Each structure stands twice: as structure tokens, then as C-alpha cells.
């Protein structure tokens, strides 16, 4: 059950709006160009008399996860999970006290951890995400996500999803769109909780993955997770992942960073009406502000560079100002 007041009563946003006589499908959005663009697009592609009508099976919408559907600062949630796993497993690995990048994690030395770069992160993922069955990993993720809390907001990460984006998902689903998550995050890290939080089932989650091997252990078939990368679903990998997992080009795509550029470009290259949307984090009071586009602070987490903003303006993509377009950020 999603962490929203309406959904706590068993309604989707769309059904709740009908129940209370409301006509606004996106009540947490301020009126503006982006909200209008979303509504106009949905009305156009679902209108059988429109030349841009799209049959229901072809109504595919893709959403990045980190920074698009839930908070990604100060670091990605999956990285927090990995660091917590290092500390949990440290007693079985005394050598980590003197071995980087694990020493940096145990010392809470984020500068040293950052200096370890992609190689260090890969080592951490291998040590904390592999060497177990897929079923065991799902149990570990489910247990962690149920109790972990964000350091700034002191709320579970699953409550730090963006209410306006939940409404977009519901609105699209109510109009016979099939909604997919297409994220650089781990596919098996997201699948245990996306259906509960977003009403997007595990078979509609596309993400990065590590290699998995079929084995028979004590007479029982299992899938074992290996310490090797299989696929990175980020940047140019996103259209590849979409083609591999979904088999249809999206007509709507939502992202928030340079990692989503190619997904929006791929969507826009399709025939007929398309919707391309980027979330821009410019609300330091209610969430975070980072870019570095339009003079916002620079970041290595979910960076939105100026050339992405320029491309969005040139190609007519819709850029959400979190500060101006959203009446609320998180569910009550």
C-alpha cells in the first residue's frame, strides 16, 4: 500500500478524485505549463478521434527512479544499503579494517570512499550484493527497506517518494498506460518494494544487474548471485534495456539527470506524439537543490548539467521545477 492518505483508504489517486467529485487528476501540482503538457498529452493520445491516438497496448511510459520518483540525496539509497551491509558483515571480515574501500566505510570517511572511485564501489557491491541466492537477497533488501530511515528527513525511504509523481503514475495507469521503472539502480534491489510503493510490479522494473547462475543446492534449484556485473542500465544503456525488457519504444519518459538523456532522446525519436519530462531539483527548503544547470550547486549524485537543460529547451522537453510546479513534495 502506498504511503499516501488516499491510498491508505484503499483508493488510487484517480479513484479518490472521482469519489470526492474532483476533476483535477494531478492535485499536488501547481497550474503551469508542465502540468498542462502532461494532461494535454494524455487526453490527445487516448482520444480515438485524434490523429495522434495511440492504442492502449502501445501506451508505454518509463520512469527513472532515483531523483525522479524518490529522493536521491545526499547519496543514492542503494549505496546507503551497501554501506550498511559492509558494517553488518564487518565482523566476519577483520581484514576490512585495513583494506580500502572497506576501511573508509567503517571509518565513515566519505572522502576516502569517494577517492576509491568506480573500482571501490564495484568492490563494495560485489561484497554486499553477491554470494547468495536471489531469494536471500530479496529477503535482505526487504528487511533493510522496512527499517532504514533517511538522515535528513528521519522517515523511511519508501515515504520519501514524490507525491506529484505518484499522481502521474496513477493518472497514466487510469488511462491504460503500462508504466515501467527504468533505472540505473539494481533491478533486484528495486523489485521487492516497487509494487507496494508505486503500484509497478516487478516484471515492469528494468535496472542494472549482476550475473546470476542457476544451481541445485541440496536438491533445490536456486539462482545464485555472482560478483560480476551483467548490465548497467544507465545513459546509453537505458534504451538498450528498454528494448531488451519491454520490446516497445516508450511514448512518455520521465527522468531527472544526465543518466536519463538517452532514454528521452530515444522516446522522442518515435513517431507520433511523445512526452519527455525532466525533474529539476531546485527546492532546498522542501528537498534539495542541485544542478549544476541554471546556477544550482554542482553534484556527482544525479547531476543535471547545463547542456542537458539546453537540450531540453531546444527540443521542447518539459522541465519540472520542483519549487514552482509542485504544491507538495512528499506524501503526508
Amino acid at each position: 500500500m502506498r504511503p499516501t492518505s488516499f491510498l491508505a483508504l484503499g483508493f488510487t489517486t484517480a479513484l479518490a478524485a472521482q469519489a470526492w467529485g474532483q476533476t483535477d487528476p494531478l492535485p499536488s501540482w501547481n497550474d503551469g505549463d508542465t502540468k498542462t503538457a502532461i494532461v494535454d498529452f494524455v487526453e490527445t493520445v487516448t482520444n480515438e478521434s485524434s490523429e495522434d491516438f495511440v492504442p492502449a497496448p502501445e501506451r508505454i511510459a518509463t520512469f527513472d527512479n532515483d531523483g525522479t520518483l524518490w529522493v536521491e540525496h545526499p547519496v543514492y539509497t542503494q549505496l546507503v544499503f551497501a554501506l550498511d551491509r559492509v558494517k553488518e558483515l564487518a565482523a566476519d571480515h577483520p581484514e576490512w579494517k585495513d583494506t580500502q574501500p572497506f576501511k573508509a566505510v567503517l571509518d565513515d570517511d566519505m572522502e576516502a570512499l569517494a577517492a576509491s572511485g568506480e573500482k571501490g564501489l564495484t568492490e563494495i557491491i560485489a561484497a554486499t550484493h553477491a554470494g547468495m541466492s536471489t531469494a536471500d537477497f530479496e529477503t535482505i533488501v526487504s528487511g533493510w527497506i522496512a527499517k532504514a530511515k533517511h538522515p535528513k528527513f528521519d522517515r523511511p525511504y519508501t515515504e520519501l517518494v514524490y507525491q506529484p509523481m505518484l499522481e502521474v503514475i496513477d493518472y497514466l495507469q487510469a488511462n491504460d498506460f503500462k508504466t515501467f521503472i527504468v533505472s540505473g539502480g539494481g533491478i533486484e534491489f528495486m523489485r521487492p518494494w516497487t509494487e507496494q510503493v508505486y503500484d509497478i510490479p516487478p516484471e515492469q522494473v528494468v535496472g542494472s544487474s549482476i550475473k546470476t547462475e542457476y544451481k541445485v543446492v541440496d536438491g533445490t534449484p536456486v539462482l545464485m548471485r555472482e560478483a560480476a556485473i551483467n548490465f548497467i542500465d544507465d545513459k546509453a544503456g537505458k534504451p538498450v534495456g528498454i528494448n531488451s525488457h519491454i520490446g516497445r519504444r516508450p511514448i512518455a519518459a520521465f527522468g531527472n539527470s544526465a543518466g536519463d538523456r538517452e532514454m528521452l532522446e530515444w522516446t522522442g525519436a518515435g513517431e507520433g506524439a511523445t512526452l519527455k519530462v525532466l525533474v529539476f531539483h531546485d527546492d532546498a527548503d522542501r528537498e534539495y537543490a542541485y544542478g549544476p544547470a541554471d546556477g544550482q550547486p554542482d553534484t556527482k549524485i544525479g547531476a543535471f548539467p547545463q547542456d542537458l537543460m539546453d537540450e531540453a529547451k531546444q527540443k521542447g522537453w518539459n522541465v519540472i521545477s520542483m519549487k514552482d510546479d509542485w504544491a507538495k513534495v512528499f506524501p503526508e
Side-chain angles (χ1 to χ4, degrees), residues 113-169:
L113 179 61
S116 70
E118 184 175 342
K119 180 178 180 294
L121 180 59
T122 300
E123 290 183 44
I124 289 173
I125 294 298
T128 60
H129 286 54
M132 68 194 80
S133 71
T134 55
D136 287 343
F137 185 70
E138 179 177 344
T139 298
I140 293 169
V141 170
S142 297
W144 182 85
I145 204 76
K147 63 183 181 181
K149 291 188 176 182
H150 190 276
K152 175 179 178 179
F153 299 104
D154 194 31
R155 294 175 63 178
Y157 288 93
T158 50
E159 291 184 7
L160 298 177
V161 294
Y162 303 135
Q163 176 65 25
M165 297 304 291
L166 293 180
E167 293 169 3
V168 171
I169 292 173

Side-chain angles (χ1 to χ4, degrees), residues 7-260:
L7 294 176
L9 297 173
F11 292 108
T12 65
T13 304
L15 291 177
Q18 292 180 1
W20 294 100
Q22 298 174 358
T23 58
D24 187 353
L26 305 175
S28 295
W29 290 68
N30 294 321
D31 292 335
D33 292 342
T34 304
K35 178 179 179 178
T36 298
I38 294 171
V39 174
D40 286 351
F41 170 77
V42 172
E43 291 180 348
T44 296
V45 299
T46 58
N47 182 356
E48 293 188 12
S49 63
S50 168
E51 63 180 13
D52 287 318
F53 171 74
V54 177
E58 299 175 20
R59 296 176 198 164
I60 303 297
T62 57
F63 294 81
D64 170 57
N65 185 50
D66 297 304
T68 300
L69 295 181
W70 74 348
V71 66
E72 65 181 351
H73 269 220
V75 295
Y76 300 118
T77 304
Q78 188 171 356
L79 179 56
V80 179
F81 165 75
L83 301 184
D84 283 354
R85 287 280 295 157
V86 168
K87 295 176 181 179
E88 184 177 346
L89 297 171
D92 296 327
H93 296 274
E95 72 278 8
W96 285 356
K97 294 180 180 179
D98 301 306
T99 306
Q100 295 292 10
F102 304 101
K103 183 179 186 302
V105 176
L106 298 176
D107 293 343
D108 290 321
D109 187 348
M110 293 301 103
E111 184 174 343
L113 179 61
S116 70
E118 184 175 342
K119 180 178 180 294
L121 180 59
T122 300
E123 290 183 44
I124 289 173
I125 294 298
T128 60
H129 286 54
M132 68 194 80
S133 71
T134 55
D136 287 343
F137 185 70
E138 179 177 344
T139 298
I140 293 169
V141 170
S142 297
W144 182 85
I145 204 76
K147 63 183 181 181
K149 291 188 176 182
H150 190 276
K152 175 179 178 179
F153 299 104
D154 194 31
R155 294 175 63 178
Y157 288 93
T158 50
E159 291 184 7
L160 298 177
V161 294
Y162 303 135
Q163 176 65 25
M165 297 304 291
L166 293 180
E167 293 169 3
V168 171
I169 292 173
D170 284 339
Y171 180 42
L172 293 175
Q173 291 175 344
N175 283 277
D176 295 323
F177 277 76
K178 201 167 187 178
T179 51
F180 291 81
I181 292 175
V182 180
S183 172
I187 190 169
E188 289 181 330
F189 175 78
M190 296 181 287
R191 281 177 168 173
W193 49 267
T194 57
E195 189 162 28
Q196 176 185 8
V197 176
Y198 303 133
D199 197 23
I200 295 178
E203 65 269 22
Q204 290 168 218
V205 176
V206 182
S208 300
S209 60
I210 64 175
K211 291 183 178 180
T212 306
E213 182 181 5
Y214 174 85
K215 292 185 177 180
V216 177
V217 179
D218 296 330
T220 302
V222 295
L223 294 175
M224 296 299 296
R225 294 168 57 82
E226 299 181 343
I229 299 297
N230 177 56
F231 178 69
I232 301 296
D233 189 56
D234 195 36
K235 299 180 180 178
K238 289 201 171 187
V240 175
I242 290 170
N243 183 68
S244 175
H245 286 260
I246 302 173
R248 292 185 188 270
R249 191 195 302 258
I251 64 170
F254 297 77
N256 78 292
S257 74
D260 303 308

Side-chain angles (χ1 to χ4, degrees), residues 152 281-289 296 322-323:
K152 175 179 178 179
H281 294 258
D282 58 355
D283 195 331
D285 292 331
R286 296 185 298 175
E287 201 237 18
Y288 293 97
Q296 296 293 344
M322 183 178 286
K323 182 177 181 180

